[in-house]
Amino acid sequence: MIAIIDYGAGNIKSLQFALTSIGLDAKLTTEASVIRNSDGIILPGVGAFRDAMEALRNLNLTELLQQEAAAGKPLMGICLGMQLLFDKSYEDGEWRGLGLLQGTVDRISGEVKVPHMGWNTLTHHQESSLLNGVPDESYVYFVHSYAVRSYPQHQLVSSTTYGGLIPAIVQKDNLIGMQFHPEKSGRIGLQLLKNVGEMIA
Amino acid sequence: MLAKRIIPCMDVDKGRVVKGHKFQNIQDVADPVELAKRYNQSGADELVFYDITASNENRPLFLEVVEKVAAEIAIPFTVGGGIRSIEDIYQTLRSGADKVSINSLAVKNPDLIREAALKFGSQCIVLSIDAKQMDSGKWHTFIKGGREDTGIDAVAWAKEGERLGAGEIVVNAIDTDGDKNGYNLELTKAITSNVNIPVVASGGAGSKSHILEVLTKADADAALAASVFHYNDINIPELKTFLDQNGISVRR
């Protein structure tokens, strides 16, 4: 069972729908016991960085997520959820993240419209089982105003280009981040979720 | 490269997709869940749902339909019509919508855009503007399904919407809606050149060339249409091939 951390107001039901449609069992939850008993955890993205961290703290989930990650359980962050895995964000201030991945989060720069909203292509940087059946230049759906910066290159699995290079998929052992929404990225997105499911199973 | 988006729009009345002409003569078209599945398969980049009657009685039914559609598709999904409050937005997002589209209410209560953007994020707040050209040549913003002239300049309203925190603007030309003679390029261009958020053109698509035109000449980020897609007058995979051949980045 995959635990989807249900800590805010966004559309996480569609994530559950997507996982169900590819035969994965997923529960929306904030309960420590359910999270501990899960085979994998997905941290979706909801609202602003500061509010999200505050919500996780109020639910007593930050340490639990850090423990589960350290114990080797697959943990995937989607969109803001990916950003939360990193050290720090400069979204309207300076906020500490979960610190599971090295790097910071800053506003998208360059002569482009922000938010970065729509379908953009993936450029793969290394081989990964996450990319099975996902050709280079596949389109996935992004909606975000902030992106990860100053991260170790070897964690970059795939990127996109929008006002510069934006990390799209990052991975360090059992930790995965996807800046786009796989649950909203059509057939390719479902394939990516299947690949994550393989990792969890 | 960011792709231009093709967006079928379903006008929903009492749980059925319907079509109208200049917002009138409503005809039944299809079951929204079946139609949404078809679009999800055929390469539509996003779906929009408008509850066109949006009376109090059918709201629970409508959210039920929203949830059923959300369960069947893996592409972004915008829901509009009858959004009255922050609570309505919350319920709509919880039912499986990715974005909500606000029209009449935003005109009456612009602060709702600000409040909603702060609470849920700009990316899920879409400002929908119905505009009509007046004898003066100015574009006025209309509300209540195109029935009421607010006297507000549509371009100024789009800029204000961006300032308040809307993440995207849908601009619908009432004059060309349902005519299939092409989008209103002048109106669309006036909006795209005055805001720095994505703009979705709506109203008037009749052919693949009309869509190419609004994406290139008017710089729209996305093209929305209803009946030409519902009746397969424009086939989405063929449209994408056509746009690709004309140098437009599209998801295929």
Side-chain angles (χ1 to χ4, degrees):
Chain A
M1 180 267 299
I2 297 172
I4 303 173
I5 310 296
D6 183 10
Y7 64 104
N11 172 23
I12 56 175
K13 202 171 261 176
S14 60
L15 180 58
Q16 191 182 19
F17 287 145
L19 293 168
T20 308
S21 79
I22 54 170
L24 294 170
D25 179 26
K27 263 201 186 102
L28 300 177
T29 186
T30 56
E31 274 178 55
S33 58
V34 177
I35 295 167
R36 276 201 195 91
N37 287 325
S38 67
D39 305 305
I41 302 170
I42 297 183
L43 184 61
V46 172
F49 194 98
R50 185 194 61 169
D51 298 345
M53 281 306 295
E54 196 175 274
L56 290 177
R57 268 192 295 272
N58 290 340
L59 292 160
N60 292 316
L61 292 177
T62 49
E63 279 179 22
L64 177 63
L65 290 173
Q66 285 159 340
Q67 287 162 5
E68 293 292 299
K73 186 177 283 185
L75 166 61
M76 171 162 79
I78 294 178
C79 198
L80 174 69
M82 156 171 159
Q83 298 175 6
L84 296 174
L85 302 180
F86 286 82
D87 294 322
K88 206 194 273 187
S89 170
Y90 295 100
E91 180 176 343
D92 297 324
E94 186 178 330
W95 316 103
R96 194 192 290 267
L98 291 169
L100 299 169
L101 292 174
Q102 195 191 331
T104 58
V105 178
D106 218 329
R107 196 167 166 85
I108 292 169
S109 55
E111 298 281 303
V112 287
K113 290 184 181 182
V114 175
H116 171 211
M117 186 187 303
W119 296 84
N120 211 335
T121 47
L122 294 175
T123 302
H124 300 333
H125 294 260
Q126 56 176 292
E127 293 198 3
S128 165
S129 61
L130 288 175
L131 300 177
N132 288 343
V134 180
D136 210 36
E137 298 298 300
S138 291
Y139 277 99
V140 290
Y141 189 78
F142 290 85
V143 185
H144 63 125
S145 300
Y146 287 77
V148 173
R149 306 240 180 270
S150 35
Y151 49 89
Q153 282 300 316
H154 63 86
Q155 291 175 11
L156 183 66
V157 174
S158 205
S159 68
T160 194
T161 305
Y162 193 74
L165 183 145
I166 289 179
I169 303 176
V170 293
Q171 184 181 15
K172 183 191 167 201
D173 307 320
N174 55 318
L175 301 174
I176 302 165
M178 294 193 189
Q179 180 59 70
F180 54 92
H181 287 269
E183 77 279 15
K184 289 286 151 190
S185 296
R187 194 179 50 75
I188 289 291
L190 295 180
Q191 182 62 44
L192 285 159
L193 289 175
K194 259 183 219 166
N195 296 344
V196 172
E198 298 278 320
M199 211 178 125
I200 289 171
Chain B
M1 178 98 177
L2 194 66
K4 299 274 187 181
R5 288 171 279 153
I6 301 302
I7 309 177
C9 174
M10 307 195 225
D11 291 329
V12 177
D13 183 19
K14 300 184 184 66
R16 295 284 296 175
V17 178
V18 296
K19 83 159 206 158
H21 183 248
K22 292 190 192 298
F23 296 17
Q24 311 219 329
N25 300 324
I26 308 299
Q27 290 168 31
D28 187 86
V29 175
D31 171 57
V33 180
E34 289 308 312
L35 197 54
K37 270 159 98 169
R38 196 182 94 195
Y39 286 134
N40 184 53
Q41 292 292 327
S42 69
D45 296 309
E46 202 164 319
L47 285 183
V48 173
F49 241 53
Y50 280 120
D51 182 354
I52 59 165
T53 43
S55 58
N56 278 322
E57 308 83 84
N58 69 20
R59 176 136 291 276
L61 168 67
F62 187 67
L63 288 182
E64 226 172 80
V65 179
V66 166
E67 193 167 330
K68 277 189 193 150
V69 169
E72 295 292 341
I73 62 174
I75 53 174
F77 179 31
T78 302
V79 173
I83 302 283
R84 290 179 185 80
S85 61
I86 290 288
E87 177 61 21
D88 281 350
I89 296 174
Y90 176 78
Q91 293 299 344
T92 307
L93 295 174
R94 280 306 280 202
S95 299
D98 299 288
K99 315 180 198 176
V100 294
S101 171
I102 314 176
N103 190 324
S104 302
L105 186 70
V107 174
K108 282 181 242 161
N109 179 14
D111 251 2
L112 187 86
I113 299 177
R114 191 203 311 269
E115 213 185 315
L118 281 174
K119 194 167 173 68
F120 306 109
S122 287
Q123 82 288 342
C124 66
I125 306 303
V126 180
L127 176 62
S128 170
I129 302 176
D130 291 337
K132 192 172 184 173
Q133 193 158 33
M134 311 312 286
D135 294 338
S136 65
K138 285 241 176 204
W139 296 93
H140 278 192
T141 305
F142 278 64
I143 57 169
K144 297 189 178 159
R147 288 188 292 271
E148 189 180 317
D149 181 7
T150 64
I152 299 167
D153 181 79
V155 176
W157 176 225
K159 287 165 80 167
E160 177 65 3
E162 178 183 17
R163 194 187 65 80
L164 289 166
E168 185 166 74
I169 289 177
V170 175
V171 49
N172 184 46
I174 296 175
D175 306 272
T176 55
D177 184 60
D179 274 353
K180 303 188 180 175
N181 290 326
Y183 292 93
N184 194 307
L185 301 180
E186 195 192 336
L187 169 66
T188 310
K189 180 75 187 171
I191 307 275
T192 55
S193 53
N194 274 286
V195 299
N196 203 30
I197 51 179
V199 174
V200 181
S202 162
S207 70
K208 295 193 276 256
S209 303
H210 292 151
I211 290 173
L212 175 64
E213 209 172 50
V214 82
L215 297 176
T216 50
K217 291 184 186 155
D219 298 325
D221 297 279
L224 179 148
S227 59
V228 287
F229 293 140
H230 299 338
Y231 293 116
N232 212 25
D233 296 340
I234 299 178
N235 172 279
I236 292 177
E238 281 171 26
L239 168 65
K240 294 249 180 128
T241 303
F242 170 77
L243 293 173
D244 179 64
Q245 284 164 352
N246 282 278
I248 305 286
S249 292
V250 285
R251 175 180 76 111
R252 303 179 67 199

